[in-house]
Amino acid sequence: MESIIVFGILSIVVLLLLGLLFSFIPVGLWITAYFSGVKIGIFTLIGMRFRRVAPSRIVNPLIKATKAGLELNIDKLEAHYLAGGNVNSVIDALIAAQRAEIALEFERAAAIDLAGREVLSAVQVSVNPKMIETPRVAAVAKDGIEVIVKARVTVRANIERLVGGAGEETIIARVGEGIVTTVGSSQTHKEVLENPDKISRTVLDKGLDAGTAFEILSIDIADVDIGRNIGAQLQTDQAEADKRIAQAKAEERRAMAVAKEQEMIAAVQEMRAKVVEAEAEIPRAMATALREGKLGVMDYYNMQNISADTDMRKSISKMGKDDDPKQEVKK
């Protein structure tokens, strides 16, 4: 009885050890690789475990490449994996390039992948060109009419310039610049409407794909619309600005005239004050003349009589004017 128990315990321990061993050593993956024609040693797979490399991430793409007729070094695949690359995507790109008869080496494909670009997508675009649609670009012709253009750019990926080449945003920006230049150099907006292909020819002649990761195959004008009359709007704004300037100058002259009028009123008041002041000196002068004997009493009375007679004549003359019917009518 005791021997049976010991045998059972030993059997369980052996099974656990075998389970741990087979979980650490990818025997199943090694068998798959062997029957797929991939020569890889079991100790190589164990070394991948110690280097913290998932063996399936290396062996499965290698099997795929071998079946496609590609000869690759497992050490390069492992180095690319440790560098943070996508080994499976690189292998798929190499297979696609081989089928499309595109010269693409593993080193370049790995460099493209590590640069952050989708290497498989780049190969697919190189085989099957894609279309980039630009946003609506507004430009103004020389006659002041705004022209809104929308273009479609057909590009093909250039494998040789994928590393370090500019992307789609640069293509769109350069095409927009070419559209603005072409429309802006046109004498009238009618020229653009009559010959929209002029934009395509001008843009293509500029070599906009220089320094980019793409090769421009064609530029097609999808839509041309007429926008605002910018020239008339600018003239209207200028006229409004001139009007405001004239109004400001007129207001300035009016303010100066009002200020001048106020100055004249102040000057008149000042002169009246001087007259009143001079008239106030007359009684003082007469009193001084009387004291000094230069003016007699009779002379003073005669002067008073003359003054009274003058006031009476003025009163009589005013009464005559008040009774005159013609004066009433004039009033």
Side-chain angles (χ1 to χ4, degrees):
M1 188 66 182
E2 292 181 355
S3 61
I4 296 175
I5 295 174
V6 172
F7 179 77
I9 294 174
L10 291 175
S11 300
I12 294 173
V13 172
V14 170
L15 290 176
L16 290 176
L17 291 175
L18 289 175
L20 292 174
L21 181 63
F22 284 109
S23 63
F24 184 77
I25 301 174
V27 178
L29 187 62
W30 176 77
I31 295 173
T32 303
Y34 179 78
F35 285 100
S36 298
V38 177
K39 297 180 180 180
I40 183 172
I42 189 68
F43 292 102
T44 303
L45 298 177
I46 297 174
M48 290 182 184
R49 291 287 192 185
F50 285 108
R51 290 188 292 271
R52 296 184 179 181
V53 175
S56 60
R57 298 290 183 89
I58 304 297
V59 176
N60 290 331
L62 184 60
I63 293 173
K64 189 190 304 183
T66 303
K67 289 299 181 180
L70 299 177
E71 295 182 1
L72 297 177
N73 190 343
I74 191 171
D75 293 334
K76 292 183 178 180
L77 296 179
E78 188 175 352
H80 184 66
Y81 177 84
L82 291 173
N86 190 337
V87 177
N88 191 58
S89 177
V90 171
I91 297 301
D92 290 340
L94 291 174
I95 295 173
Q98 182 193 36
R99 295 294 186 269
E101 297 183 356
I102 298 175
L104 179 62
E105 299 178 354
F106 174 79
E107 287 75 9
R108 180 168 294 276
I112 295 172
D113 183 59
L114 293 177
R117 295 184 181 272
E118 292 290 339
V119 59
L120 178 59
S121 176
V123 173
Q124 291 173 348
V125 173
S126 181
V127 176
N128 184 21
K130 72 174 182 177
M131 182 178 295
I132 301 175
E133 188 170 300
T134 65
R136 295 167 65 87
V137 180
V140 182
K142 290 184 178 180
D143 60 352
I145 304 299
E146 182 184 37
V147 181
I148 303 173
V149 181
K150 186 177 182 180
R152 291 189 177 96
V153 186
T154 304
V155 297
R156 180 173 59 194
N158 192 331
I159 302 297
E160 300 296 328
R161 295 187 303 200
L162 277 176
V163 178
E168 297 181 10
E169 293 79 7
T170 303
I171 295 290
I172 294 174
R174 290 182 179 178
V175 171
E177 179 185 355
I179 292 173
V180 173
T181 302
T182 306
V183 175
S185 61
S186 301
Q187 293 296 330
T188 63
H189 66 285
K190 295 180 181 179
E191 294 183 7
V192 181
L193 296 177
E194 293 173 355
N195 301 302
D197 58 335
K198 178 182 178 182
I199 300 176
S200 302
R201 293 196 305 268
T202 304
V203 174
L204 284 174
D205 292 341
K206 288 181 176 293
L208 302 181
D209 54 1
T212 66
F214 299 96
E215 178 185 354
I216 296 179
L217 300 179
S218 66
I219 298 176
D220 304 312
I221 305 302
D223 187 19
V224 179
D225 294 329
I226 300 299
R228 300 167 297 168
N229 192 337
I230 302 298
Q233 184 176 353
L234 291 176
Q235 292 178 358
T236 302
D237 295 341
Q238 184 63 41
E240 184 67 21
D242 294 340
K243 175 184 175 182
R244 292 179 181 176
I245 292 174
Q247 289 177 347
K249 291 182 178 179
E251 183 65 21
E252 182 182 0
R253 290 194 297 270
R254 189 191 69 81
M256 292 178 63
V258 171
K260 187 67 176 177
E261 180 183 3
Q262 295 297 326
E263 291 178 358
M264 296 301 295
I265 292 174
V268 170
Q269 294 295 332
E270 183 180 359
M271 297 302 294
R272 286 179 180 177
K274 290 181 179 180
V275 171
V276 172
E277 183 180 1
E279 290 177 349
E281 294 293 332
I282 294 175
R284 296 179 183 177
M286 292 177 62
T288 303
L290 287 172
R291 284 195 299 270
E292 294 178 355
K294 295 180 180 179
L295 181 66
V297 177
M298 295 305 298
D299 297 330
Y300 176 74
Y301 280 115
N302 289 333
M303 186 182 64
Q304 291 292 328
N305 290 332
I306 293 171
S307 178
D309 184 61
T310 302
D311 292 338
M312 181 183 67
R313 290 175 183 274
K314 290 180 178 180
S315 299
I316 293 172
S317 64
K318 289 181 179 179
M319 290 175 62
K321 291 181 179 180
D322 293 339
D323 296 338
D324 190 359
K326 294 181 179 181
Q327 295 293 333
E328 294 293 335
V329 173
K330 290 182 179 180
K331 290 181 180 178

